[in-house]
Amino acid sequence: MIDERERRIKARAFELWQKEGSLDSRSLGHWLQAEREIDEEADESVAEDPTEAVGLAAAVNPH
């Protein structure tokens, strides 16, 4: 099953692909750009709500 991050990257890469005229030769570039954009959005949301980062840390290391 596809996770939320990957779903968002896929959707953004598709938007970029369409915006640039649907050129197949740029699929990797679109994916990498979408990945950067989605990760930056996630970093910004954690900076705005630091309690979210604490919750993630606890989930990764429950001890």
Side-chain angles (χ1 to χ4, degrees):
M1 186 169 163
I2 191 168
D3 68 6
E4 180 63 17
R5 177 181 175 268
E6 188 173 341
R7 185 197 63 75
R8 293 180 65 215
I9 292 168
K10 190 175 192 176
R12 180 62 182 141
F14 183 74
E15 290 172 7
L16 293 168
W17 176 71
Q18 286 184 315
K19 184 178 178 181
E20 290 189 13
S22 306
L23 302 173
D24 290 335
S25 62
R26 292 266 305 122
S27 59
L28 178 59
H30 293 141
W31 184 270
L32 295 174
Q33 181 179 347
E35 208 172 35
R36 281 190 303 272
E37 291 177 11
I38 297 304
D39 289 344
E40 286 173 4
E41 288 175 9
D43 290 345
E44 289 172 6
S45 70
V46 169
E48 292 172 6
D49 185 5
T51 59
E52 185 177 315
V54 172
L56 290 174
V60 171
N61 188 6
H63 302 286

